[in-house]
Amino acid sequence: MDVPVWVWIVTVGIIVAMLAVDYIGHVKTPHAPTLRESAWWSAGYVAVALVFGGIVWAVWGPTYGGEYFAGYVTEKSLSIDNLFVFVLIMASFNVPRKYQQKVLLVGITVALILRTIFIFAGAALIENFSWIFYIFGAFLLYTAWAQIRSGADHDGEYKENAVLRWVRRVFPTTDDYVGDKLTTKIDGKRYITPMLIVMLAIGSADVLFAVDSIPAIFGLTQETYLVFTANAFSLLGLRQLFFLIDGLLDRLVYLAYGLAAILAFIGLKLILHALHTNELPFINGGEHFDVPEISTAFSLTYIGVVLLITTVLSLWKDSRDKKKFAAAQSSSDDTEA
């Protein structure tokens, strides 16, 4: 895939402009967005991502277009799972609703920077060491197993990591929020506020998210441009998506299993690709294996079907549980009467 430098510059410029609109138009005046506002902006970001995918399809062909859409859908799905952690962090730090947009946007900006670094590092590794696909594949299979073990348990209590504990010990911190300020002066002494701490928490969580998501998308496409844009567009609408599906997150009880199925599938795809391009002398004498490789069209179809089944089953179980609860409550009221 031949991507001219000017295309990279224009793409990065569009992404920076979209971030600037968020910082200037939404976060500058703290407020809790309405459901309608979140829905419109979420739809807008998805539309931009789809239009971009259409351009890739038209300019570079259906193969690369399909790879972009498969990567975008996968990264968007993993981003939804990340929202569970964001909810825990917000609750743990008691972030006022009207300031949550700013926290999320800074977290998304940090994620974009970190993932860009990981993407170019991963691309360099793939370019020079084809055996890295074995490691990526094995890691995704392990991550899929971890997702299955975790199941739908997203109700755990958030625990600060070592970096946050170190920050609290080294720097004086205020007990309460001071508006949306990151630092403040009290009696001539500079203090950091919980707002800065929670942003560090979101940012450090993004490191773990990047470690999971980058190998996953490299299993769908090895084109650095597509990996970067699919990640960027999946992250840009995450702030609005948080407020849109905040109440829906707890109802997606089977999401972890769906993501496990997707990650395991991509892990298998990576290992098959590694066998197909094998150069390790201690495996098959350094010769390639004649194994089938999974097509992009099949990958995209599989991911879409898994997400559809996961969502439908989750909402069905939630509806059934609510009906059981209502029936139990009604029975209890009749007994008391």
Side-chain angles (χ1 to χ4, degrees), residues 282-314:
F282 54 86
I283 297 179
N284 198 36
E287 297 295 324
H288 304 169
F289 286 86
D290 186 18
V291 294
E293 291 210 73
I294 301 171
S295 69
T296 301
F298 183 84
S299 299
L300 185 55
T301 302
Y302 175 86
I303 292 167
V305 170
V306 168
L307 289 176
L308 178 63
I309 293 173
T310 298
T311 303
V312 170
L313 288 179
S314 294

PDB file of all heavy atoms in Angstrom, residues 282-314:
ATOM      1  N   PHE A 282      14.747 -23.380  13.867  1.00  0.00           N
ATOM      2  CA  PHE A 282      14.401 -24.528  14.715  1.00  0.00           C
ATOM      3  C   PHE A 282      12.944 -24.960  14.552  1.00  0.00           C
ATOM      4  O   PHE A 282      12.473 -25.858  15.244  1.00  0.00           O
ATOM      5  CB  PHE A 282      14.692 -24.212  16.190  1.00  0.00           C
ATOM      6  CG  PHE A 282      14.039 -22.957  16.706  1.00  0.00           C
ATOM      7  CD1 PHE A 282      12.743 -22.969  17.197  1.00  0.00           C
ATOM      8  CD2 PHE A 282      14.725 -21.745  16.678  1.00  0.00           C
ATOM      9  CE1 PHE A 282      12.138 -21.820  17.661  1.00  0.00           C
ATOM     10  CE2 PHE A 282      14.124 -20.577  17.140  1.00  0.00           C
ATOM     11  CZ  PHE A 282      12.828 -20.616  17.634  1.00  0.00           C
ATOM     12  N   ILE A 283      12.205 -24.311  13.637  1.00  0.00           N
ATOM     13  CA  ILE A 283      10.834 -24.723  13.321  1.00  0.00           C
ATOM     14  C   ILE A 283      10.786 -25.113  11.849  1.00  0.00           C
ATOM     15  O   ILE A 283      10.997 -24.267  10.961  1.00  0.00           O
ATOM     16  CB  ILE A 283       9.813 -23.589  13.599  1.00  0.00           C
ATOM     17  CG1 ILE A 283       9.805 -23.226  15.084  1.00  0.00           C
ATOM     18  CG2 ILE A 283       8.415 -24.001  13.150  1.00  0.00           C
ATOM     19  CD1 ILE A 283       8.840 -22.103  15.433  1.00  0.00           C
ATOM     20  N   ASN A 284      10.564 -26.397  11.595  1.00  0.00           N
ATOM     21  CA  ASN A 284      10.461 -26.922  10.228  1.00  0.00           C
ATOM     22  C   ASN A 284      11.707 -26.607   9.402  1.00  0.00           C
ATOM     23  O   ASN A 284      11.623 -26.411   8.182  1.00  0.00           O
ATOM     24  CB  ASN A 284       9.209 -26.349   9.533  1.00  0.00           C
ATOM     25  CG  ASN A 284       8.804 -27.157   8.312  1.00  0.00           C
ATOM     26  OD1 ASN A 284       8.934 -28.381   8.294  1.00  0.00           O
ATOM     27  ND2 ASN A 284       8.303 -26.479   7.285  1.00  0.00           N
ATOM     28  N   GLY A 285      12.843 -26.536  10.097  1.00  0.00           N
ATOM     29  CA  GLY A 285      14.097 -26.287   9.396  1.00  0.00           C
ATOM     30  C   GLY A 285      14.165 -24.933   8.725  1.00  0.00           C
ATOM     31  O   GLY A 285      14.928 -24.729   7.771  1.00  0.00           O
ATOM     32  N   GLY A 286      13.372 -23.981   9.224  1.00  0.00           N
ATOM     33  CA  GLY A 286      13.374 -22.646   8.640  1.00  0.00           C
ATOM     34  C   GLY A 286      12.532 -22.519   7.390  1.00  0.00           C
ATOM     35  O   GLY A 286      12.507 -21.454   6.757  1.00  0.00           O
ATOM     36  N   GLU A 287      11.817 -23.590   7.033  1.00  0.00           N
ATOM     37  CA  GLU A 287      10.974 -23.570   5.841  1.00  0.00           C
ATOM     38  C   GLU A 287       9.554 -23.116   6.178  1.00  0.00           C
ATOM     39  O   GLU A 287       9.077 -23.313   7.306  1.00  0.00           O
ATOM     40  CB  GLU A 287      10.925 -24.969   5.212  1.00  0.00           C
ATOM     41  CG  GLU A 287      12.268 -25.472   4.712  1.00  0.00           C
ATOM     42  CD  GLU A 287      12.807 -24.639   3.566  1.00  0.00           C
ATOM     43  OE1 GLU A 287      11.991 -24.187   2.737  1.00  0.00           O
ATOM     44  OE2 GLU A 287      14.038 -24.430   3.512  1.00  0.00           O
ATOM     45  N   HIS A 288       8.881 -22.559   5.195  1.00  0.00           N
ATOM     46  CA  HIS A 288       7.497 -22.127   5.386  1.00  0.00           C
ATOM     47  C   HIS A 288       6.568 -23.331   5.465  1.00  0.00           C
ATOM     48  O   HIS A 288       6.833 -24.385   4.884  1.00  0.00           O
ATOM     49  CB  HIS A 288       7.044 -21.235   4.219  1.00  0.00           C
ATOM     50  CG  HIS A 288       7.929 -20.036   4.019  1.00  0.00           C
ATOM     51  ND1 HIS A 288       7.843 -19.234   2.903  1.00  0.00           N
ATOM     52  CD2 HIS A 288       8.906 -19.499   4.786  1.00  0.00           C
ATOM     53  CE1 HIS A 288       8.744 -18.260   2.991  1.00  0.00           C
ATOM     54  NE2 HIS A 288       9.406 -18.413   4.121  1.00  0.00           N
ATOM     55  N   PHE A 289       5.474 -23.170   6.208  1.00  0.00           N
ATOM     56  CA  PHE A 289       4.436 -24.191   6.268  1.00  0.00           C
ATOM     57  C   PHE A 289       3.364 -23.881   5.220  1.00  0.00           C
ATOM     58  O   PHE A 289       3.026 -22.717   4.996  1.00  0.00           O
ATOM     59  CB  PHE A 289       3.776 -24.216   7.656  1.00  0.00           C
ATOM     60  CG  PHE A 289       4.634 -24.833   8.724  1.00  0.00           C
ATOM     61  CD1 PHE A 289       5.559 -24.063   9.416  1.00  0.00           C
ATOM     62  CD2 PHE A 289       4.510 -26.177   9.042  1.00  0.00           C
ATOM     63  CE1 PHE A 289       6.337 -24.618  10.410  1.00  0.00           C
ATOM     64  CE2 PHE A 289       5.292 -26.742  10.040  1.00  0.00           C
ATOM     65  CZ  PHE A 289       6.208 -25.971  10.730  1.00  0.00           C
ATOM     66  N   ASP A 290       2.856 -24.918   4.615  1.00  0.00           N
ATOM     67  CA  ASP A 290       1.779 -24.745   3.644  1.00  0.00           C
ATOM     68  C   ASP A 290       0.440 -24.799   4.381  1.00  0.00           C
ATOM     69  O   ASP A 290      -0.244 -25.816   4.417  1.00  0.00           O
ATOM     70  CB  ASP A 290       1.848 -25.843   2.577  1.00  0.00           C
ATOM     71  CG  ASP A 290       0.827 -25.631   1.454  1.00  0.00           C
ATOM     72  OD1 ASP A 290       0.327 -24.486   1.341  1.00  0.00           O
ATOM     73  OD2 ASP A 290       0.531 -26.591   0.727  1.00  0.00           O
ATOM     74  N   VAL A 291       0.097 -23.668   5.001  1.00  0.00           N
ATOM     75  CA  VAL A 291      -1.141 -23.595   5.785  1.00  0.00           C
ATOM     76  C   VAL A 291      -2.060 -22.539   5.169  1.00  0.00           C
ATOM     77  O   VAL A 291      -1.584 -21.574   4.563  1.00  0.00           O
ATOM     78  CB  VAL A 291      -0.859 -23.235   7.257  1.00  0.00           C
ATOM     79  CG1 VAL A 291      -0.083 -24.346   7.953  1.00  0.00           C
ATOM     80  CG2 VAL A 291      -0.100 -21.922   7.357  1.00  0.00           C
ATOM     81  N   PRO A 292      -3.362 -22.717   5.308  1.00  0.00           N
ATOM     82  CA  PRO A 292      -4.290 -21.714   4.762  1.00  0.00           C
ATOM     83  C   PRO A 292      -4.241 -20.432   5.583  1.00  0.00           C
ATOM     84  O   PRO A 292      -4.020 -20.464   6.791  1.00  0.00           O
ATOM     85  CB  PRO A 292      -5.659 -22.388   4.886  1.00  0.00           C
ATOM     86  CG  PRO A 292      -5.492 -23.345   6.029  1.00  0.00           C
ATOM     87  CD  PRO A 292      -4.077 -23.834   5.958  1.00  0.00           C
ATOM     88  N   GLU A 293      -4.401 -19.300   4.908  1.00  0.00           N
ATOM     89  CA  GLU A 293      -4.476 -18.017   5.617  1.00  0.00           C
ATOM     90  C   GLU A 293      -5.906 -17.500   5.551  1.00  0.00           C
ATOM     91  O   GLU A 293      -6.603 -17.675   4.541  1.00  0.00           O
ATOM     92  CB  GLU A 293      -3.510 -17.004   4.999  1.00  0.00           C
ATOM     93  CG  GLU A 293      -2.051 -17.351   5.254  1.00  0.00           C
ATOM     94  CD  GLU A 293      -1.162 -16.122   5.323  1.00  0.00           C
ATOM     95  OE1 GLU A 293      -1.232 -15.392   6.331  1.00  0.00           O
ATOM     96  OE2 GLU A 293      -0.414 -15.892   4.353  1.00  0.00           O
ATOM     97  N   ILE A 294      -6.339 -16.881   6.627  1.00  0.00           N
ATOM     98  CA  ILE A 294      -7.718 -16.411   6.735  1.00  0.00           C
ATOM     99  C   ILE A 294      -7.857 -15.078   5.995  1.00  0.00           C
ATOM    100  O   ILE A 294      -7.082 -14.153   6.227  1.00  0.00           O
ATOM    101  CB  ILE A 294      -8.109 -16.255   8.213  1.00  0.00           C
ATOM    102  CG1 ILE A 294      -7.969 -17.601   8.923  1.00  0.00           C
ATOM    103  CG2 ILE A 294      -9.538 -15.731   8.347  1.00  0.00           C
ATOM    104  CD1 ILE A 294      -8.125 -17.528  10.439  1.00  0.00           C
ATOM    105  N   SER A 295      -8.852 -14.984   5.145  1.00  0.00           N
ATOM    106  CA  SER A 295      -9.040 -13.774   4.339  1.00  0.00           C
ATOM    107  C   SER A 295      -9.605 -12.625   5.174  1.00  0.00           C
ATOM    108  O   SER A 295     -10.221 -12.840   6.222  1.00  0.00           O
ATOM    109  CB  SER A 295      -9.988 -14.061   3.175  1.00  0.00           C
ATOM    110  OG  SER A 295     -11.307 -14.295   3.654  1.00  0.00           O
ATOM    111  N   THR A 296      -9.419 -11.409   4.675  1.00  0.00           N
ATOM    112  CA  THR A 296      -9.950 -10.221   5.353  1.00  0.00           C
ATOM    113  C   THR A 296     -11.471 -10.241   5.370  1.00  0.00           C
ATOM    114  O   THR A 296     -12.095  -9.867   6.373  1.00  0.00           O
ATOM    115  CB  THR A 296      -9.450  -8.949   4.642  1.00  0.00           C
ATOM    116  OG1 THR A 296      -8.026  -8.923   4.666  1.00  0.00           O
ATOM    117  CG2 THR A 296      -9.984  -7.706   5.339  1.00  0.00           C
ATOM    118  N   ALA A 297     -12.081 -10.676   4.261  1.00  0.00           N
ATOM    119  CA  ALA A 297     -13.545 -10.729   4.186  1.00  0.00           C
ATOM    120  C   ALA A 297     -14.114 -11.659   5.252  1.00  0.00           C
ATOM    121  O   ALA A 297     -15.100 -11.330   5.924  1.00  0.00           O
ATOM    122  CB  ALA A 297     -13.974 -11.189   2.792  1.00  0.00           C
ATOM    123  N   PHE A 298     -13.473 -12.821   5.421  1.00  0.00           N
ATOM    124  CA  PHE A 298     -13.941 -13.762   6.445  1.00  0.00           C
ATOM    125  C   PHE A 298     -13.742 -13.172   7.835  1.00  0.00           C
ATOM    126  O   PHE A 298     -14.598 -13.325   8.715  1.00  0.00           O
ATOM    127  CB  PHE A 298     -13.202 -15.093   6.329  1.00  0.00           C
ATOM    128  CG  PHE A 298     -13.673 -16.135   7.308  1.00  0.00           C
ATOM    129  CD1 PHE A 298     -14.782 -16.919   7.026  1.00  0.00           C
ATOM    130  CD2 PHE A 298     -13.016 -16.316   8.523  1.00  0.00           C
ATOM    131  CE1 PHE A 298     -15.235 -17.869   7.929  1.00  0.00           C
ATOM    132  CE2 PHE A 298     -13.459 -17.257   9.438  1.00  0.00           C
ATOM    133  CZ  PHE A 298     -14.569 -18.041   9.134  1.00  0.00           C
ATOM    134  N   SER A 299     -12.602 -12.500   8.056  1.00  0.00           N
ATOM    135  CA  SER A 299     -12.314 -11.879   9.360  1.00  0.00           C
ATOM    136  C   SER A 299     -13.382 -10.854   9.718  1.00  0.00           C
ATOM    137  O   SER A 299     -13.903 -10.841  10.840  1.00  0.00           O
ATOM    138  CB  SER A 299     -10.942 -11.205   9.343  1.00  0.00           C
ATOM    139  OG  SER A 299      -9.915 -12.133   9.086  1.00  0.00           O
ATOM    140  N   LEU A 300     -13.708  -9.976   8.759  1.00  0.00           N
ATOM    141  CA  LEU A 300     -14.696  -8.927   8.999  1.00  0.00           C
ATOM    142  C   LEU A 300     -16.071  -9.528   9.287  1.00  0.00           C
ATOM    143  O   LEU A 300     -16.782  -9.083  10.199  1.00  0.00           O
ATOM    144  CB  LEU A 300     -14.770  -7.998   7.787  1.00  0.00           C
ATOM    145  CG  LEU A 300     -15.666  -6.758   7.905  1.00  0.00           C
ATOM    146  CD1 LEU A 300     -15.277  -5.922   9.111  1.00  0.00           C
ATOM    147  CD2 LEU A 300     -15.577  -5.921   6.636  1.00  0.00           C
ATOM    148  N   THR A 301     -16.445 -10.569   8.535  1.00  0.00           N
ATOM    149  CA  THR A 301     -17.729 -11.234   8.755  1.00  0.00           C
ATOM    150  C   THR A 301     -17.777 -11.883  10.132  1.00  0.00           C
ATOM    151  O   THR A 301     -18.767 -11.762  10.865  1.00  0.00           O
ATOM    152  CB  THR A 301     -17.969 -12.297   7.672  1.00  0.00           C
ATOM    153  OG1 THR A 301     -17.930 -11.685   6.385  1.00  0.00           O
ATOM    154  CG2 THR A 301     -19.318 -12.976   7.858  1.00  0.00           C
ATOM    155  N   TYR A 302     -16.704 -12.572  10.491  1.00  0.00           N
ATOM    156  CA  TYR A 302     -16.635 -13.249  11.795  1.00  0.00           C
ATOM    157  C   TYR A 302     -16.777 -12.246  12.935  1.00  0.00           C
ATOM    158  O   TYR A 302     -17.558 -12.460  13.877  1.00  0.00           O
ATOM    159  CB  TYR A 302     -15.306 -14.000  11.907  1.00  0.00           C
ATOM    160  CG  TYR A 302     -15.082 -14.642  13.253  1.00  0.00           C
ATOM    161  CD1 TYR A 302     -15.572 -15.913  13.536  1.00  0.00           C
ATOM    162  CD2 TYR A 302     -14.383 -13.971  14.263  1.00  0.00           C
ATOM    163  CE1 TYR A 302     -15.373 -16.498  14.781  1.00  0.00           C
ATOM    164  CE2 TYR A 302     -14.180 -14.549  15.498  1.00  0.00           C
ATOM    165  CZ  TYR A 302     -14.672 -15.814  15.754  1.00  0.00           C
ATOM    166  OH  TYR A 302     -14.474 -16.383  16.995  1.00  0.00           O
ATOM    167  N   ILE A 303     -16.029 -11.151  12.860  1.00  0.00           N
ATOM    168  CA  ILE A 303     -16.064 -10.140  13.924  1.00  0.00           C
ATOM    169  C   ILE A 303     -17.468  -9.555  14.054  1.00  0.00           C
ATOM    170  O   ILE A 303     -17.998  -9.411  15.159  1.00  0.00           O
ATOM    171  CB  ILE A 303     -15.029  -9.030  13.635  1.00  0.00           C
ATOM    172  CG1 ILE A 303     -13.610  -9.587  13.752  1.00  0.00           C
ATOM    173  CG2 ILE A 303     -15.218  -7.849  14.601  1.00  0.00           C
ATOM    174  CD1 ILE A 303     -12.547  -8.674  13.192  1.00  0.00           C
ATOM    175  N   GLY A 304     -18.090  -9.232  12.915  1.00  0.00           N
ATOM    176  CA  GLY A 304     -19.441  -8.669  12.940  1.00  0.00           C
ATOM    177  C   GLY A 304     -20.463  -9.622  13.528  1.00  0.00           C
ATOM    178  O   GLY A 304     -21.310  -9.227  14.349  1.00  0.00           O
ATOM    179  N   VAL A 305     -20.394 -10.901  13.143  1.00  0.00           N
ATOM    180  CA  VAL A 305     -21.347 -11.903  13.651  1.00  0.00           C
ATOM    181  C   VAL A 305     -21.166 -12.111  15.149  1.00  0.00           C
ATOM    182  O   VAL A 305     -22.146 -12.184  15.902  1.00  0.00           O
ATOM    183  CB  VAL A 305     -21.178 -13.238  12.888  1.00  0.00           C
ATOM    184  CG1 VAL A 305     -21.976 -14.348  13.562  1.00  0.00           C
ATOM    185  CG2 VAL A 305     -21.616 -13.085  11.446  1.00  0.00           C
ATOM    186  N   VAL A 306     -19.917 -12.187  15.604  1.00  0.00           N
ATOM    187  CA  VAL A 306     -19.659 -12.382  17.041  1.00  0.00           C
ATOM    188  C   VAL A 306     -20.202 -11.214  17.855  1.00  0.00           C
ATOM    189  O   VAL A 306     -20.843 -11.410  18.892  1.00  0.00           O
ATOM    190  CB  VAL A 306     -18.141 -12.559  17.299  1.00  0.00           C
ATOM    191  CG1 VAL A 306     -17.838 -12.459  18.801  1.00  0.00           C
ATOM    192  CG2 VAL A 306     -17.670 -13.900  16.770  1.00  0.00           C
ATOM    193  N   LEU A 307     -19.970  -9.987  17.391  1.00  0.00           N
ATOM    194  CA  LEU A 307     -20.459  -8.817  18.123  1.00  0.00           C
ATOM    195  C   LEU A 307     -21.983  -8.768  18.134  1.00  0.00           C
ATOM    196  O   LEU A 307     -22.593  -8.415  19.155  1.00  0.00           O
ATOM    197  CB  LEU A 307     -19.905  -7.537  17.488  1.00  0.00           C
ATOM    198  CG  LEU A 307     -18.406  -7.293  17.690  1.00  0.00           C
ATOM    199  CD1 LEU A 307     -17.960  -6.055  16.936  1.00  0.00           C
ATOM    200  CD2 LEU A 307     -18.076  -7.147  19.175  1.00  0.00           C
ATOM    201  N   LEU A 308     -22.608  -9.141  17.024  1.00  0.00           N
ATOM    202  CA  LEU A 308     -24.075  -9.163  16.964  1.00  0.00           C
ATOM    203  C   LEU A 308     -24.648 -10.183  17.937  1.00  0.00           C
ATOM    204  O   LEU A 308     -25.562  -9.871  18.714  1.00  0.00           O
ATOM    205  CB  LEU A 308     -24.527  -9.482  15.531  1.00  0.00           C
ATOM    206  CG  LEU A 308     -26.042  -9.594  15.319  1.00  0.00           C
ATOM    207  CD1 LEU A 308     -26.713  -8.260  15.620  1.00  0.00           C
ATOM    208  CD2 LEU A 308     -26.350 -10.036  13.889  1.00  0.00           C
ATOM    209  N   ILE A 309     -24.100 -11.392  17.922  1.00  0.00           N
ATOM    210  CA  ILE A 309     -24.579 -12.441  18.832  1.00  0.00           C
ATOM    211  C   ILE A 309     -24.357 -12.036  20.285  1.00  0.00           C
ATOM    212  O   ILE A 309     -25.233 -12.208  21.136  1.00  0.00           O
ATOM    213  CB  ILE A 309     -23.861 -13.776  18.533  1.00  0.00           C
ATOM    214  CG1 ILE A 309     -24.283 -14.301  17.156  1.00  0.00           C
ATOM    215  CG2 ILE A 309     -24.161 -14.815  19.613  1.00  0.00           C
ATOM    216  CD1 ILE A 309     -23.510 -15.531  16.703  1.00  0.00           C
ATOM    217  N   THR A 310     -23.172 -11.478  20.570  1.00  0.00           N
ATOM    218  CA  THR A 310     -22.849 -11.050  21.933  1.00  0.00           C
ATOM    219  C   THR A 310     -23.835 -10.004  22.441  1.00  0.00           C
ATOM    220  O   THR A 310     -24.339 -10.103  23.566  1.00  0.00           O
ATOM    221  CB  THR A 310     -21.421 -10.466  21.974  1.00  0.00           C
ATOM    222  OG1 THR A 310     -20.485 -11.468  21.601  1.00  0.00           O
ATOM    223  CG2 THR A 310     -21.097  -9.962  23.376  1.00  0.00           C
ATOM    224  N   THR A 311     -24.129  -9.010  21.611  1.00  0.00           N
ATOM    225  CA  THR A 311     -25.041  -7.933  22.007  1.00  0.00           C
ATOM    226  C   THR A 311     -26.462  -8.451  22.207  1.00  0.00           C
ATOM    227  O   THR A 311     -27.115  -8.144  23.212  1.00  0.00           O
ATOM    228  CB  THR A 311     -25.040  -6.819  20.945  1.00  0.00           C
ATOM    229  OG1 THR A 311     -23.705  -6.337  20.764  1.00  0.00           O
ATOM    230  CG2 THR A 311     -25.932  -5.669  21.377  1.00  0.00           C
ATOM    231  N   VAL A 312     -26.945  -9.250  21.257  1.00  0.00           N
ATOM    232  CA  VAL A 312     -28.314  -9.776  21.347  1.00  0.00           C
ATOM    233  C   VAL A 312     -28.486 -10.648  22.583  1.00  0.00           C
ATOM    234  O   VAL A 312     -29.465 -10.502  23.343  1.00  0.00           O
ATOM    235  CB  VAL A 312     -28.673 -10.563  20.067  1.00  0.00           C
ATOM    236  CG1 VAL A 312     -29.995 -11.311  20.250  1.00  0.00           C
ATOM    237  CG2 VAL A 312     -28.757  -9.627  18.870  1.00  0.00           C
ATOM    238  N   LEU A 313     -27.535 -11.560  22.825  1.00  0.00           N
ATOM    239  CA  LEU A 313     -27.630 -12.442  23.992  1.00  0.00           C
ATOM    240  C   LEU A 313     -27.533 -11.657  25.298  1.00  0.00           C
ATOM    241  O   LEU A 313     -28.226 -11.969  26.273  1.00  0.00           O
ATOM    242  CB  LEU A 313     -26.533 -13.506  23.938  1.00  0.00           C
ATOM    243  CG  LEU A 313     -26.699 -14.610  22.883  1.00  0.00           C
ATOM    244  CD1 LEU A 313     -25.516 -15.581  22.938  1.00  0.00           C
ATOM    245  CD2 LEU A 313     -28.003 -15.364  23.085  1.00  0.00           C
ATOM    246  N   SER A 314     -26.668 -10.628  25.322  1.00  0.00           N
ATOM    247  CA  SER A 314     -26.532  -9.810  26.531  1.00  0.00           C
ATOM    248  C   SER A 314     -27.831  -9.099  26.870  1.00  0.00           C
ATOM    249  O   SER A 314     -28.291  -9.114  28.014  1.00  0.00           O
ATOM    250  CB  SER A 314     -25.407  -8.789  26.351  1.00  0.00           C
ATOM    251  OG  SER A 314     -24.144  -9.401  26.243  1.00  0.00           O
TER     252      SER A 314
END
